[in-house]
Amino acid sequence: MKSTNKVTVLGAGNAGLTAAYHFSLLGSDVCLFGSEGFDEQIDFIRQAGGIQAVEQVNGVEMSFTGFQTLEVTKDIQEAVAFSSVLIMPVPSFAQEALFRDMLPYLTSEHLILLMPGNYGSLVLNRIKNEEGYQDLDVTFVDAISIPWATRIAGEAQVGILGIKEMLPLAALPASRTQQAIERLQPHFPIPLTPLENVIAAGLENINFGGHPLLTTLNMGLLENFNGNFNFYKDCCSPAVARVAEDLDLERLAVGQALGLELSSELDAMNTLYDMNAESVYEINRTSETHGKLNSAPDGPQARYIAEDVPFLFVPCFEFSQLAGVNTPIIQAVLTITNAFNRTDYMESGRTLEKMGMAEMTIDQIRQAVS
Protein backbone atom coordinates (compact mmCIF):
# COMPACT_ATOMS: atom_id res chain seq x y z
CA MET A 1 0.00 0.00 0.00
CA LYS A 2 1.24 3.48 -0.89
CA SER A 3 2.09 5.91 1.90
CA THR A 4 0.54 9.35 2.26
CA ASN A 5 3.77 10.91 0.96
CA LYS A 6 2.89 12.75 -2.22
CA VAL A 7 5.29 14.09 -4.82
CA THR A 8 4.81 15.67 -8.23
CA VAL A 9 7.37 15.08 -10.97
CA LEU A 10 7.33 17.75 -13.68
CA GLY A 11 8.82 16.58 -16.97
CA ALA A 12 8.33 13.37 -18.92
CA GLY A 13 11.80 12.81 -20.30
CA ASN A 14 14.14 10.02 -19.25
CA ALA A 15 14.92 11.62 -15.89
CA GLY A 16 11.27 12.43 -15.20
CA LEU A 17 10.07 8.92 -15.97
CA THR A 18 12.83 7.41 -13.88
CA ALA A 19 12.14 9.72 -10.94
CA ALA A 20 8.41 8.97 -11.07
CA TYR A 21 9.06 5.23 -11.28
CA HIS A 22 11.61 5.12 -8.46
CA PHE A 23 9.64 7.39 -6.11
CA SER A 24 6.63 5.13 -6.66
CA LEU A 25 8.78 2.03 -6.09
CA LEU A 26 9.76 3.45 -2.69
CA GLY A 27 6.14 3.99 -1.69
CA SER A 28 5.38 7.60 -2.60
CA ASP A 29 2.16 8.63 -4.30
CA VAL A 30 3.38 10.14 -7.56
CA CYS A 31 1.85 12.44 -10.17
CA LEU A 32 3.87 12.78 -13.39
CA PHE A 33 3.29 15.86 -15.56
CA GLY A 34 4.19 16.21 -19.23
CA SER A 35 3.90 19.61 -20.92
CA GLU A 36 2.57 20.13 -24.44
CA GLY A 37 5.08 19.00 -27.03
CA PHE A 38 6.88 16.82 -24.47
CA ASP A 39 3.93 14.68 -23.43
CA GLU A 40 4.21 11.66 -25.71
CA GLN A 41 5.27 9.39 -22.85
CA ILE A 42 2.25 10.50 -20.79
CA ASP A 43 -0.04 8.86 -23.36
CA PHE A 44 2.11 5.72 -23.41
CA ILE A 45 2.00 5.50 -19.61
CA ARG A 46 -1.78 5.87 -19.60
CA GLN A 47 -2.07 3.07 -22.14
CA ALA A 48 0.36 0.80 -20.27
CA GLY A 49 -1.07 1.57 -16.84
CA GLY A 50 2.33 2.60 -15.47
CA ILE A 51 6.08 2.68 -16.06
CA GLN A 52 8.30 -0.35 -16.57
CA ALA A 53 11.97 -0.40 -15.67
CA VAL A 54 13.30 -2.99 -18.10
CA GLU A 55 15.74 -5.78 -17.24
CA GLN A 56 18.05 -5.31 -20.23
CA VAL A 57 19.02 -2.68 -22.82
CA ASN A 58 21.02 -4.00 -25.78
CA GLY A 59 21.86 -7.10 -23.77
CA VAL A 60 23.15 -5.09 -20.79
CA GLU A 61 21.64 -5.77 -17.37
CA MET A 62 19.74 -2.84 -15.83
CA SER A 63 19.01 -1.95 -12.18
CA PHE A 64 15.83 -1.45 -10.11
CA THR A 65 13.68 -3.39 -12.56
CA GLY A 66 9.93 -3.77 -12.23
CA PHE A 67 6.61 -2.06 -12.95
CA GLN A 68 4.93 0.79 -11.07
CA THR A 69 1.55 2.45 -11.43
CA LEU A 70 1.17 6.19 -10.89
CA GLU A 71 -0.96 9.16 -11.84
CA VAL A 72 -0.20 11.18 -14.97
CA THR A 73 -1.50 14.51 -16.18
CA LYS A 74 -1.05 17.18 -18.84
CA ASP A 75 -2.75 19.80 -16.65
CA ILE A 76 -0.19 21.97 -14.84
CA GLN A 77 -2.69 23.22 -12.27
CA GLU A 78 -3.60 19.64 -11.38
CA ALA A 79 0.07 18.69 -11.14
CA VAL A 80 0.96 21.59 -8.83
CA ALA A 81 -2.09 20.97 -6.63
CA PHE A 82 -1.24 17.26 -6.18
CA SER A 83 1.67 17.89 -3.81
CA SER A 84 3.62 20.65 -2.11
CA VAL A 85 6.83 18.85 -3.15
CA LEU A 86 7.58 19.50 -6.81
CA ILE A 87 10.52 17.81 -8.57
CA MET A 88 11.74 19.24 -11.89
CA PRO A 89 14.19 16.81 -13.55
CA VAL A 90 14.19 18.78 -16.81
CA PRO A 91 16.92 20.33 -18.97
CA SER A 92 18.02 23.77 -17.83
CA PHE A 93 16.59 25.43 -20.93
CA ALA A 94 13.10 24.16 -19.98
CA GLN A 95 13.13 25.45 -16.40
CA GLU A 96 11.96 29.00 -17.07
CA ALA A 97 8.99 28.22 -19.34
CA LEU A 98 7.77 25.44 -17.05
CA PHE A 99 8.07 27.69 -14.00
CA ARG A 100 6.09 30.48 -15.66
CA ASP A 101 3.29 27.97 -16.33
CA MET A 102 3.39 26.84 -12.68
CA LEU A 103 3.62 30.30 -11.12
CA PRO A 104 -0.10 31.20 -10.89
CA TYR A 105 -0.83 27.99 -8.98
CA LEU A 106 2.05 27.98 -6.51
CA THR A 107 1.73 28.67 -2.78
CA SER A 108 4.28 29.43 -0.10
CA GLU A 109 3.98 25.78 0.98
CA HIS A 110 5.62 24.59 -2.23
CA LEU A 111 9.18 23.35 -2.48
CA ILE A 112 10.68 23.10 -5.98
CA LEU A 113 13.69 20.83 -6.53
CA LEU A 114 15.61 21.35 -9.78
CA MET A 115 17.63 18.34 -10.97
CA PRO A 116 20.10 19.52 -12.14
CA GLY A 117 19.87 23.00 -10.65
CA ASN A 118 22.53 24.77 -12.72
CA TYR A 119 21.74 28.02 -10.87
CA GLY A 120 18.09 27.69 -11.89
CA SER A 121 16.81 28.66 -8.45
CA LEU A 122 18.38 32.09 -8.87
CA VAL A 123 16.74 32.60 -12.26
CA LEU A 124 13.32 31.36 -11.12
CA ASN A 125 13.44 33.51 -7.99
CA ARG A 126 14.17 36.55 -10.17
CA ILE A 127 11.24 35.69 -12.45
CA LYS A 128 8.94 35.24 -9.43
CA ASN A 129 9.76 38.71 -8.18
CA GLU A 130 9.62 40.37 -11.59
CA GLU A 131 6.22 38.84 -12.30
CA GLY A 132 4.76 40.42 -9.16
CA TYR A 133 4.84 37.42 -6.82
CA GLN A 134 7.19 38.91 -4.23
CA ASP A 135 5.02 37.64 -1.38
CA LEU A 136 5.14 34.07 -2.67
CA ASP A 137 7.69 32.40 -0.39
CA VAL A 138 8.54 29.29 -2.41
CA THR A 139 11.58 27.26 -1.35
CA PHE A 140 13.86 26.54 -4.31
CA VAL A 141 16.41 23.72 -4.18
CA ASP A 142 19.25 23.03 -6.66
CA ALA A 143 20.75 19.55 -6.92
CA ILE A 144 24.05 18.94 -8.69
CA SER A 145 22.47 16.45 -11.11
CA ILE A 146 19.92 13.67 -11.30
CA PRO A 147 20.68 10.60 -9.16
CA TRP A 148 20.39 8.04 -11.97
CA ALA A 149 22.23 7.05 -15.09
CA THR A 150 19.17 6.21 -17.17
CA ARG A 151 17.66 6.01 -20.64
CA ILE A 152 14.18 5.82 -22.09
CA ALA A 153 14.02 2.24 -23.37
CA GLY A 154 10.66 2.36 -25.16
CA GLU A 155 7.05 3.36 -24.69
CA ALA A 156 6.52 3.89 -20.94
CA GLN A 157 9.84 2.14 -20.35
CA VAL A 158 13.15 3.17 -18.79
CA GLY A 159 16.48 1.41 -18.45
CA ILE A 160 18.31 2.36 -15.24
CA LEU A 161 22.04 1.75 -15.58
CA GLY A 162 22.97 2.77 -12.06
CA ILE A 163 22.60 5.34 -9.31
CA LYS A 164 24.85 7.67 -7.34
CA GLU A 165 25.74 7.00 -3.72
CA MET A 166 24.33 10.39 -2.66
CA LEU A 167 22.87 13.58 -4.10
CA PRO A 168 24.36 16.90 -2.93
CA LEU A 169 22.03 19.91 -3.01
CA ALA A 170 21.33 23.33 -1.52
CA ALA A 171 18.25 25.48 -0.97
CA LEU A 172 17.66 29.12 -1.76
CA PRO A 173 18.06 30.54 0.78
CA ALA A 174 20.74 28.23 2.17
CA SER A 175 19.27 28.58 5.66
CA ARG A 176 16.47 26.25 4.48
CA THR A 177 18.68 23.47 3.14
CA GLN A 178 18.28 21.11 6.09
CA GLN A 179 14.52 21.65 6.21
CA ALA A 180 14.36 20.95 2.47
CA ILE A 181 16.31 17.71 2.90
CA GLU A 182 13.85 16.59 5.58
CA ARG A 183 10.94 17.13 3.19
CA LEU A 184 12.62 15.51 0.20
CA GLN A 185 14.46 12.57 1.75
CA PRO A 186 11.39 10.28 2.18
CA HIS A 187 11.01 10.13 -1.59
CA PHE A 188 14.64 9.45 -2.51
CA PRO A 189 16.54 6.14 -2.70
CA ILE A 190 19.88 7.70 -1.71
CA PRO A 191 21.01 10.18 0.98
CA LEU A 192 20.56 13.87 0.20
CA THR A 193 23.59 15.81 1.44
CA PRO A 194 23.87 19.58 2.02
CA LEU A 195 26.07 22.01 0.13
CA GLU A 196 26.91 25.52 1.31
CA ASN A 197 24.61 27.28 -1.18
CA VAL A 198 23.11 27.06 -4.65
CA ILE A 199 26.24 28.51 -6.26
CA ALA A 200 28.21 25.60 -4.84
CA ALA A 201 25.55 23.27 -6.27
CA GLY A 202 26.14 24.71 -9.73
CA LEU A 203 29.91 24.55 -9.50
CA GLU A 204 29.76 20.97 -8.15
CA ASN A 205 27.79 19.61 -11.13
CA ILE A 206 30.01 16.75 -12.28
CA ASN A 207 29.01 17.30 -15.91
CA PHE A 208 31.23 20.39 -15.86
CA GLY A 209 34.45 18.42 -15.96
CA GLY A 210 33.61 15.77 -18.51
CA HIS A 211 30.90 16.68 -20.96
CA PRO A 212 31.88 19.92 -22.76
CA LEU A 213 35.62 19.31 -22.77
CA LEU A 214 35.58 15.68 -23.93
CA THR A 215 32.94 16.50 -26.55
CA THR A 216 34.91 19.48 -27.86
CA LEU A 217 38.23 17.63 -28.06
CA ASN A 218 36.64 14.64 -29.84
CA MET A 219 34.21 16.36 -32.20
CA GLY A 220 35.64 14.77 -35.37
CA LEU A 221 35.27 11.30 -33.89
CA LEU A 222 31.76 12.06 -32.63
CA GLU A 223 30.46 13.39 -35.95
CA ASN A 224 32.20 10.92 -38.23
CA PHE A 225 31.12 7.84 -36.29
CA ASN A 226 27.65 9.04 -35.20
CA GLY A 227 28.39 8.48 -31.53
CA ASN A 228 28.59 4.70 -31.91
CA PHE A 229 31.14 4.08 -29.15
CA ASN A 230 31.56 4.60 -25.42
CA PHE A 231 31.90 8.31 -24.69
CA TYR A 232 33.77 8.13 -21.39
CA LYS A 233 36.16 5.33 -22.27
CA ASP A 234 36.87 6.18 -25.89
CA CYS A 235 37.02 9.99 -25.61
CA CYS A 236 39.32 10.15 -22.59
CA SER A 237 42.99 9.67 -23.41
CA PRO A 238 45.94 10.51 -21.12
CA ALA A 239 46.40 13.89 -22.83
CA VAL A 240 42.70 14.73 -22.67
CA ALA A 241 42.67 13.78 -18.98
CA ARG A 242 45.53 16.21 -18.32
CA VAL A 243 43.49 19.02 -19.84
CA ALA A 244 40.50 17.94 -17.74
CA GLU A 245 42.64 18.14 -14.60
CA ASP A 246 43.72 21.69 -15.46
CA LEU A 247 40.10 22.61 -16.21
CA ASP A 248 39.16 21.34 -12.77
CA LEU A 249 41.80 23.56 -11.17
CA GLU A 250 40.13 26.57 -12.82
CA ARG A 251 36.74 25.58 -11.39
CA LEU A 252 38.23 25.07 -7.93
CA ALA A 253 39.93 28.49 -8.12
CA VAL A 254 36.62 30.16 -8.98
CA GLY A 255 34.99 28.43 -6.04
CA GLN A 256 37.78 29.52 -3.71
CA ALA A 257 37.39 33.14 -4.87
CA LEU A 258 33.71 32.87 -3.93
CA GLY A 259 34.59 31.49 -0.50
CA LEU A 260 33.58 27.92 -1.37
CA GLU A 261 35.53 24.74 -0.64
CA LEU A 262 34.60 22.55 -3.59
CA SER A 263 35.41 18.89 -4.13
CA SER A 264 37.80 18.03 -6.92
CA GLU A 265 36.29 16.15 -9.85
CA LEU A 266 38.27 13.06 -8.85
CA ASP A 267 37.07 13.15 -5.23
CA ALA A 268 33.47 13.84 -6.26
CA MET A 269 33.34 11.00 -8.77
CA ASN A 270 34.92 8.56 -6.34
CA THR A 271 32.39 9.52 -3.68
CA LEU A 272 29.32 9.58 -5.91
CA TYR A 273 30.07 6.25 -7.60
CA ASP A 274 31.84 4.42 -4.74
CA MET A 275 35.13 4.20 -6.61
CA ASN A 276 38.79 4.45 -5.62
CA ALA A 277 40.30 5.77 -8.83
CA GLU A 278 43.59 7.63 -8.62
CA SER A 279 43.09 9.90 -11.63
CA VAL A 280 40.44 11.45 -13.86
CA TYR A 281 41.72 9.18 -16.63
CA GLU A 282 41.08 6.10 -14.50
CA ILE A 283 37.60 7.34 -13.57
CA ASN A 284 36.57 7.64 -17.20
CA ARG A 285 38.14 4.38 -18.25
CA THR A 286 36.89 2.17 -15.41
CA SER A 287 33.51 3.49 -14.20
CA GLU A 288 31.05 0.58 -14.47
CA THR A 289 28.01 2.85 -14.45
CA HIS A 290 29.27 4.96 -17.35
CA GLY A 291 30.77 2.06 -19.26
CA LYS A 292 27.70 -0.16 -19.51
CA LEU A 293 26.39 1.12 -22.83
CA ASN A 294 28.10 2.30 -25.98
CA SER A 295 26.59 5.74 -26.25
CA ALA A 296 27.98 9.14 -27.16
CA PRO A 297 26.89 12.50 -28.62
CA ASP A 298 26.85 12.59 -32.40
CA GLY A 299 27.58 16.29 -32.84
CA PRO A 300 27.82 19.76 -31.26
CA GLN A 301 24.06 20.16 -30.82
CA ALA A 302 23.98 17.40 -28.20
CA ARG A 303 23.22 18.40 -24.62
CA TYR A 304 26.84 17.86 -23.55
CA ILE A 305 27.49 21.19 -25.29
CA ALA A 306 24.06 22.74 -25.92
CA GLU A 307 23.06 22.51 -22.25
CA ASP A 308 26.28 22.18 -20.28
CA VAL A 309 28.16 25.07 -21.92
CA PRO A 310 25.50 27.81 -21.54
CA PHE A 311 24.29 26.64 -18.12
CA LEU A 312 27.55 25.50 -16.50
CA PHE A 313 30.51 27.10 -18.28
CA VAL A 314 28.94 30.53 -18.79
CA PRO A 315 28.04 31.05 -15.10
CA CYS A 316 31.46 29.82 -14.00
CA PHE A 317 33.14 32.20 -16.45
CA GLU A 318 30.95 35.08 -15.24
CA PHE A 319 31.97 34.38 -11.64
CA SER A 320 35.62 34.14 -12.70
CA GLN A 321 35.44 37.56 -14.35
CA LEU A 322 33.85 39.09 -11.27
CA ALA A 323 36.48 37.52 -9.02
CA GLY A 324 39.48 38.20 -11.29
CA VAL A 325 40.33 34.51 -11.75
CA ASN A 326 42.10 33.51 -14.97
CA THR A 327 40.27 30.65 -16.75
CA PRO A 328 41.91 30.05 -20.17
CA ILE A 329 40.53 26.53 -20.71
CA ILE A 330 36.97 27.58 -19.88
CA GLN A 331 37.38 30.49 -22.31
CA ALA A 332 38.79 28.18 -24.99
CA VAL A 333 35.85 25.77 -24.71
CA LEU A 334 33.42 28.70 -24.90
CA THR A 335 35.15 30.07 -27.99
CA ILE A 336 35.26 26.73 -29.80
CA THR A 337 31.71 25.68 -28.96
CA ASN A 338 30.41 29.08 -30.09
CA ALA A 339 32.10 28.40 -33.44
CA PHE A 340 30.75 24.82 -33.55
CA ASN A 341 27.16 25.99 -33.27
CA ARG A 342 27.46 29.47 -34.77
CA THR A 343 26.08 31.01 -31.60
CA ASP A 344 27.07 33.18 -28.64
CA TYR A 345 26.63 31.30 -25.38
CA MET A 346 27.61 34.40 -23.42
CA GLU A 347 24.42 35.93 -24.79
CA SER A 348 22.10 32.93 -24.50
CA GLY A 349 23.64 31.33 -21.42
CA ARG A 350 22.97 31.75 -17.71
CA THR A 351 24.66 35.07 -17.00
CA LEU A 352 24.86 37.03 -13.76
CA GLU A 353 22.18 39.33 -15.14
CA LYS A 354 19.79 36.42 -15.70
CA MET A 355 20.55 35.19 -12.19
CA GLY A 356 19.61 38.63 -10.83
CA MET A 357 23.18 39.41 -9.74
CA ALA A 358 24.52 41.74 -12.42
CA GLU A 359 25.24 44.65 -10.09
CA MET A 360 26.38 42.64 -7.06
CA THR A 361 29.81 42.23 -5.49
CA ILE A 362 31.03 38.81 -4.37
CA ASP A 363 30.09 39.62 -0.77
CA GLN A 364 26.61 40.70 -1.84
CA ILE A 365 26.16 37.50 -3.86
CA ARG A 366 27.17 35.35 -0.89
CA GLN A 367 24.72 37.22 1.31
CA ALA A 368 21.93 36.87 -1.26
CA VAL A 369 22.17 33.07 -1.31
CA SER A 370 22.89 32.49 2.38
Side-chain angles (χ1 to χ4, degrees), residues 56-319:
Q56 291 188 344
V57 174
N58 296 333
V60 177
E61 297 293 326
M62 297 290 108
S63 303
F64 307 107
T65 60
F67 183 87
Q68 289 293 315
T69 60
L70 60 140
E71 295 189 33
V72 293
T73 185
K74 300 181 183 181
D75 184 322
I76 190 64
Q77 183 175 3
E78 180 181 335
V80 171
F82 182 84
S83 173
S84 62
V85 176
L86 309 176
I87 313 291
M88 288 174 55
V90 299
S92 300
F93 60 77
Q95 291 171 346
E96 294 181 41
L98 182 53
F99 180 70
R100 290 181 189 276
D101 289 342
M102 297 160 56
L103 195 48
Y105 311 113
L106 293 171
T107 72
S108 294
E109 295 298 314
H110 279 105
L111 178 153
I112 301 174
L113 170 62
L114 307 175
M115 298 193 307
N118 294 352
Y119 315 94
S121 60
L122 297 166
V123 177
L124 302 191
N125 190 56
R126 174 187 60 79
I127 291 171
K128 175 183 75 73
N129 293 332
E130 289 179 354
E131 294 292 325
Y133 292 86
Q134 294 91 339
D135 294 333
L136 179 62
D137 193 20
V138 173
T139 297
F140 296 101
V141 183
D142 282 2
I144 66 164
S145 64
I146 63 172
W148 309 273
T150 184
R151 302 286 187 273
I152 286 180
E155 297 178 359
Q157 294 181 332
V158 294
I160 305 174
L161 289 82
I163 192 168
K164 296 177 176 65
E165 293 292 309
M166 64 187 67
L167 183 63
L169 49 74
L172 180 70
S175 58
R176 297 184 185 177
T177 296
Q178 191 56 49
Q179 181 186 44
I181 289 175
E182 291 171 4
R183 292 181 67 184
L184 289 163
Q185 189 63 77
H187 306 292
F188 275 81
I190 56 173
L192 305 177
T193 60
L195 292 169
E196 184 170 343
N197 56 43
V198 292
I199 296 175
L203 289 171
E204 293 276 33
N205 186 327
I206 56 174
N207 291 343
F208 183 98
H211 287 178
L213 181 68
L214 266 66
T215 305
T216 299
L217 296 180
N218 290 275
M219 187 53 65
L221 179 66
L222 295 169
E223 287 189 305
N224 289 333
F225 293 91
N226 298 315
N228 292 322
F229 46 88
N230 188 283
F231 178 73
Y232 297 95
K233 287 184 177 181
D234 296 331
C235 288
C236 187
S237 69
V240 169
R242 288 195 292 273
V243 181
E245 289 168 356
D246 287 349
L247 171 65
D248 199 43
L249 291 177
E250 293 183 5
R251 179 186 64 88
L252 294 173
V254 172
Q256 184 176 29
L258 297 174
L260 300 170
E261 293 186 13
L262 305 177
S263 297
S264 69
E265 181 184 5
L266 177 61
D267 288 345
M269 291 291 285
N270 276 332
T271 300
L272 290 170
Y273 292 102
D274 192 25
M275 298 178 65
N276 293 293
E278 296 183 357
S279 67
V280 170
Y281 176 74
E282 185 181 346
I283 285 279
N284 281 283
R285 297 289 294 181
T286 64
S287 171
E288 293 183 7
T289 298
H290 297 92
K292 282 186 176 180
L293 289 178
N294 282 337
S295 175
D298 60 4
Q301 294 293 337
R303 66 181 178 87
Y304 287 10
I305 286 179
E307 180 176 7
D308 293 340
V309 170
F311 296 101
L312 288 178
F313 270 52
V314 167
C316 188
F317 180 69
E318 288 271 272
F319 287 127

